[in-house]
Amino acid sequence: MSQVPRSPVSTPEWRAWLVWSVGVAAYVLAITNRTSLGAVGVEAADRFQADASTLALFAVVQLAVYGGMQIPIGVLLDRYGSRPIMTIGMLLMAAGQLTMALSPSVGIAIFARILLGAGDAAIFPAVLRLVATWFPAQRGPIMVQFTGIVGQAGQLIALVPLAALLHATTWTITFGSIAGLGVLFAILVALIIRNHPPERNADVTVNTDTGVIRVVTSAIDTGVGIRAAWAHPGTRLAFWSHFTSPFAGTAFILLWGMPFLTAAQGLDTAHAAGIISVYVIAGMVLGPVIGDLSRRLPNYRSMALVLPAVGVQMLAWVVVIALPGPAPLWLLYILAVALATGGPASMIAFDHARTHNPSHRLSTATGVTNAGGFIAALIAIFLIGLALDLQGAGTPATYSLEAFRVAFLMPIPLWILGVVFILIERKRTRIRIGLDPDPRR
């Protein structure tokens, strides 16, 4: 990144925290919007008379748009800063939820999820940019982690209040209310958030210990930059780590968890919401723990943290679906905690990307890494829905434990593929940085 002239750092601490608080509150609402369909998946299938593949398509389209918007969002952030991009993002999500509230058909509902994915894509990168511009550079890593942990509370809002509101009122009122919140937060963002402190004239990050000032870059460098990032085995290790760790939890929380727990396992909505709440809370608790272990074990992150997290998920997943009848409640809670390890473990992928790429290529390597988890989640969500349809169990009335038992086999090949490539790229990375000898020499 290019150097810029040094400017004084005298922003009052309260102003930085105010900007961050509004930004992270907007991120919480974005997570609520993102996971809103998962909390009411059965009701959505009934409303739109959608089979499992169509229901999966709602989530797949939303995630695909989210992932595809990352490069243009980075370019727009570099040109205009966080404030206008976040404001537009909140309005897009509000428009998406209002469209969902009034949608009479599957086609319009899919368009609503496109709007939602586009708006959601703007929020987290913009909040991370605010962290970089408003807080000292040396405080950035802990603030990024803190932002991610707080943001996950949005999943709890989607699970409990949103589902309760739907059961107490109507589909239109519920999703219309979320749309109203989106408009409110768009106004708050426009009024309170500023791209950078007033004493600076550009989006820069400042190390208050050394006085070094660097321009904040959000855009992914296409073409040469992506090829250069992918050429390093450390970036490929990051990609496959992010591909393998979080996708099962994403598929579970975003769409298939609630139908599986209620229609297949026979739980009532309150118990199912409790299990998914444990997933969210466990992820928030495990995040700092795994983050600290990653810092202490820089050369053993894959073997000591990523692969064990994947192994725990696979074991719990296989045990639950292999039982001849419904799983006991305690085992479903264990499944929720096991799946929760995937999110924090996937953050190690970004440590790999940061470690093995120069600063001018970091945004590109991060974007490549982030694509891994979304690709795996898209595949898993769609294959589970397709497997349900092929068994003739594509609607809530036909969901069954046997059908879900077969459909939930779909993530296993993805886990195996990811583990194989993690081991391959880990070996190549260790050879590249000189920790292991090159057998070809």
Side-chain angles (χ1 to χ4, degrees):
M1 295 182 185
S2 60
Q3 298 285 339
V4 299
R6 184 174 181 180
S7 61
V9 181
S10 57
T11 304
E13 188 83 358
W14 67 266
R15 182 175 291 178
W17 282 105
L18 177 63
V19 168
W20 177 84
S21 297
V22 174
V24 82
Y27 178 49
V28 169
L29 183 59
I31 295 288
T32 302
N33 279 280
R34 184 188 307 172
T35 55
S36 58
L37 190 64
V40 295
V42 175
E43 292 83 353
D46 284 335
R47 175 179 175 84
F48 297 109
Q49 297 298 301
D51 58 22
S53 295
T54 302
L55 194 62
L57 188 61
F58 287 164
V60 167
V61 166
Q62 178 185 333
L63 286 180
V65 172
Y66 181 100
M69 286 295 294
Q70 292 304 301
I71 291 178
I73 287 296
V75 173
L76 291 170
L77 281 171
D78 284 343
R79 181 166 183 178
Y80 299 108
S82 295
R83 180 190 177 198
I85 302 306
M86 286 187 70
T87 303
I88 294 171
M90 299 308 298
L91 291 174
L92 282 173
M93 283 191 288
Q97 294 292 36
L98 183 60
T99 304
M100 197 73 176
L102 303 174
S103 172
S105 65
V106 168
I108 295 177
I110 289 175
F111 176 69
R113 305 312 285 184
I114 291 174
L115 291 174
L116 190 66
D120 184 17
I123 306 304
F124 189 54
V127 176
L128 294 189
R129 191 178 181 94
L130 291 173
V131 168
T133 56
W134 280 90
F135 289 90
Q138 61 270 37
R139 202 189 297 178
I142 188 65
M143 288 301 300
V144 168
Q145 188 178 82
F146 190 33
T147 299
I149 292 172
V150 174
Q152 298 314 304
Q155 298 181 55
L156 296 177
I157 297 173
L159 277 173
V160 183
L162 179 65
L165 181 62
L166 177 60
H167 296 146
T169 59
T170 65
W171 179 276
T172 300
I173 291 175
T174 299
F175 282 88
S177 299
I178 306 176
L181 281 176
V183 174
L184 173 62
F185 270 86
I187 295 171
L188 283 175
V189 166
L191 290 177
I192 296 175
I193 285 182
R194 294 294 180 270
N195 291 343
H196 48 74
E199 68 272 10
R200 301 179 200 155
N201 56 11
D203 284 9
V204 296
T205 181
V206 181
N207 188 316
T208 53
D209 288 340
T210 64
V212 173
I213 301 175
R214 296 185 184 276
V215 174
V216 177
T217 303
S218 299
I220 297 172
D221 179 18
T222 55
V224 175
I226 291 178
R227 289 196 298 272
W230 185 255
H232 197 295
T235 305
R236 300 196 297 272
L237 174 61
F239 174 90
W240 287 109
S241 298
H242 201 264
F243 179 99
T244 314
S245 303
F247 75 86
T250 301
F252 197 79
I253 195 76
L254 205 59
L255 188 60
W256 293 121
M258 191 64 77
F260 172 72
L261 294 172
T262 54
Q265 292 291 333
L267 299 180
D268 57 35
T269 303
H271 279 98
I275 289 170
I276 297 181
S277 297
V278 166
Y279 165 87
V280 177
I281 295 169
M284 296 169 71
V285 172
L286 289 170
V289 176
I290 292 179
D292 185 61
L293 290 173
S294 175
R295 180 181 61 83
R296 294 171 182 269
L297 303 168
N299 295 327
Y300 302 96
R301 293 165 177 164
S302 298
M303 301 301 291
L305 297 173
V306 176
L307 292 179
V310 174
V312 165
Q313 292 178 71
M314 286 185 64
L315 178 62
W317 190 275
V318 169
V319 169
V320 167
I321 65 175
L323 290 178
L329 194 60
W330 61 266
L331 183 57
L332 294 174
Y333 279 109
I334 289 177
L335 173 64
V337 174
L339 292 177
T341 64
S346 72
M347 294 298 101
I348 294 171
F350 297 108
D351 290 336
H352 289 313
R354 184 170 56 252
T355 300
H356 300 297
N357 285 275
S359 59
H360 69 269
R361 209 168 62 210
L362 183 55
S363 292
T364 302
T366 300
V368 170
T369 301
N370 202 28
F374 285 105
I375 290 171
L378 290 174
I379 295 172
I381 289 171
F382 181 74
L383 288 181
I384 290 172
L386 182 61
L388 288 171
D389 277 346
L390 291 177
Q391 297 174 84
T395 62
T398 56
Y399 287 161
S400 68
L401 180 57
E402 290 303 319
F404 267 102
R405 187 174 284 130
V406 174
F408 272 20
L409 293 173
M410 297 300 105
I412 294 176
L414 296 177
W415 272 318
I416 294 172
L417 176 70
V419 167
V420 168
F421 275 100
I422 287 173
L423 292 173
I424 291 173
E425 299 302 345
R426 178 181 184 271
K427 183 66 175 178
R428 289 174 175 171
T429 301
R430 289 178 64 84
I431 292 173
R432 177 72 171 265
I433 63 178
L435 292 177
D436 287 345
D438 188 345
R440 295 173 298 179
R441 293 183 179 179

